[in-house]
Amino acid sequence: MKKTSTRLADGRELVYYDLRDDTVRDAVDRRPLERTVTTSEVRRDPLLGDSVAVASHRQGRTYHPPADQCPLCPSDGERLSEIPDSSYDVVVFENRFPSLAGDSGRCEVVCFTSDHDASFADLAEDQARLVLDAWTDRTSELSHLASVEQVFCFENRGAEIGVTLGHPHGQIYAYPFTTPRTALMLRSLAAHKDATGGENLFDAVLEKELAGERVVLEGEHWAAFVPYSAHWPYEVHLYPKRRVPDLLGLDEAARTEFPKVYLELLRRFDRIFGEGEPPTPYIAAWHQAPFGQLEEFDGVTRDDFALHLELFTIRRTSGKLKFLAGSESGMGVFINDVPPERAAERLREVASS
């Protein structure tokens, strides 16, 4: 992997990640852009104890442009985009309309490929590995920012999810706090460690799932399963078999196997609902340990946390979506329409030949 860092016309950072070490990236952003002005502010809810990012400048962000005006495609002649060069392998740049900025964190866009009509599932294994390396490098770089406590790499795929740009891409949010989901895991981890005299909850969960009926696929270094209490109709958790707190902790064997396992998982997701169905909308979310202090979680260290990816779709059956209505949105209690055992069975059925 070759990494080349440059600046866009408005001062935002852009980083090329290339498969070839001899690739030269010297294209200049020729757009007459003024410096980005953001109004991002983090406010803490005194009753729930969580935080909300208020970012009114995002109301003006790019919304479903035609393909020939996509800002994530390479620049072509006088058609200038967010990527100054005429081609790229993987590109990461600071979001022009960030939810978090300055003292409130940072937001980045990750373009998986220059092919506008592709998806992550269409990538070759070396390209998927390059994305993994980019995620890892960005996690490392962002973890050193004073305003950052947790790094979240994720992909929203599909208009049903709320994606406003059709080009295959993901995002990275660098939060100035530990997110509520992660805090819940850390509290459960601490309670289990105390109750069992030191047993790791993530290890216990993975061991139990691998011995059960909800395993979807398993490699030498990775395992994917539908969790016992899945919230979503089709939800899969992907774990490295050797517990590590974040992407930086993965060894070379796990990095090498990841593309094959993850690409197969994504391709199965696209086959869940049968031939002729539109691509499955999904969210793919990496859970990593916070980089901040964990004193509030009794006896838990970063090394107790287990890196894992959650992949889920909001489609519950052909042509029907799972909406977060009263119970889910109002009380945070999910009602799952598909038994996790049946979801796992279906994801095994659609394995590629």
Side-chain angles (χ1 to χ4, degrees):
M1 178 189 79
K2 181 180 180 182
K3 174 183 175 183
T4 306
S5 180
T6 185
R7 292 283 172 179
L8 296 174
D10 56 6
R12 288 176 293 131
E13 184 180 19
L14 180 144
V15 184
Y16 294 98
Y17 294 90
D18 287 295
L19 291 167
R20 292 174 56 98
D21 289 337
D22 60 352
T23 303
V24 176
R25 298 294 184 188
D26 55 8
V28 176
D29 185 3
R30 295 181 284 125
R31 297 173 297 170
L33 298 180
E34 296 181 357
R35 285 198 169 266
T36 301
V37 177
T38 65
T39 57
S40 179
E41 175 189 1
V42 173
R43 299 184 180 183
R44 189 163 181 81
D45 187 316
L47 294 179
L48 297 180
D50 59 9
S51 298
V52 176
V54 180
S56 60
H57 61 275
R58 285 175 53 80
Q59 288 281 35
R61 66 188 184 274
T62 308
Y63 186 81
H64 293 299
D68 62 357
Q69 297 177 33
C70 175
L72 305 186
C73 288
S75 291
D76 182 13
E78 294 306 309
R79 190 183 69 78
L80 306 178
S81 73
E82 289 280 66
I83 296 90
D85 215 327
S86 59
S87 67
Y88 64 83
D89 291 337
V90 173
V91 166
V92 178
F93 59 89
E94 288 184 74
N95 198 321
R96 190 176 178 186
F97 304 97
S99 301
L100 307 165
D103 293 339
S104 296
R106 176 160 157 155
C107 292
E108 299 182 339
V109 177
V110 184
C111 298
F112 303 139
T113 171
S114 60
D115 185 352
H116 180 85
D117 298 316
S119 70
F120 201 118
D122 296 325
L123 300 182
E125 289 189 14
D126 61 346
Q127 187 81 4
R129 167 62 190 266
L130 185 61
V131 176
L132 175 64
D133 290 342
W135 281 332
T136 304
D137 181 71
R138 298 317 302 160
T139 297
S140 176
E141 292 290 333
L142 293 170
S143 72
H144 291 101
L145 297 181
S147 62
V148 172
E149 188 166 311
Q150 186 173 1
V151 178
F152 175 46
C153 306
F154 65 100
E155 180 190 1
N156 295 329
R157 194 266 194 117
E160 300 93 329
I161 298 294
V163 174
T164 57
L165 297 175
H167 196 104
H169 72 288
Q171 300 181 65
I172 302 175
Y173 275 25
Y175 297 101
F177 50 79
T178 297
T179 62
R181 284 287 302 278
T182 303
L184 284 173
M185 290 186 219
L186 291 169
R187 292 189 188 101
S188 296
L189 187 62
H192 185 85
K193 188 175 184 178
D194 181 64
T196 60
E199 183 182 62
N200 184 278
L201 179 57
F202 285 110
D203 292 349
V205 167
L206 181 58
E207 180 181 1
K208 184 175 181 179
E209 291 289 2
L210 288 179
E213 59 182 318
R214 290 179 297 277
V215 175
V216 174
L217 60 87
E218 184 177 357
E220 182 179 355
H221 304 285
W222 293 87
F225 57 88
V226 178
Y228 171 75
S229 54
H231 289 57
W232 298 92
Y234 290 92
E235 174 184 336
V236 176
H237 292 192
L238 177 63
Y239 277 70
K241 290 186 175 179
R242 182 180 69 86
R243 172 166 45 89
V244 295
D246 52 38
L247 290 165
L248 284 75
L250 293 174
D251 60 21
E252 182 57 31
R255 293 181 182 279
T256 299
E257 187 181 73
F258 172 79
K260 181 178 181 180
V261 173
Y262 188 50
L263 290 171
E264 171 62 17
L265 196 56
L266 292 179
R267 290 161 186 166
R268 291 192 193 189
F269 254 59
D270 272 343
R271 293 193 291 266
I272 293 174
F273 304 104
E275 296 294 330
E277 287 290 320
T280 302
Y282 66 73
I283 293 175
W286 281 108
H287 291 269
Q288 306 192 79
F291 288 95
Q293 300 299 315
L294 302 180
E295 286 92 346
E296 64 180 292
F297 307 104
D298 299 332
V300 170
T301 68
R302 290 193 79 251
D303 289 336
D304 291 320
F305 195 87
L307 168 76
H308 61 285
L309 180 139
E310 293 186 10
L311 173 68
F312 61 89
T313 178
I314 63 171
R315 187 178 292 165
R316 57 186 175 87
T317 189
S318 179
K320 297 179 181 179
L321 301 181
K322 166 63 178 177
F323 291 101
L324 299 189
S327 185
E328 292 89 353
S329 295
M331 286 288 109
V333 179
F334 275 68
I335 314 297
N336 192 348
D337 306 278
V338 180
E341 293 72 24
R342 174 55 190 148
E345 181 182 20
R346 178 59 182 161
L347 284 161
R348 291 193 296 268
E349 289 173 352
V350 296
S352 60
S353 58

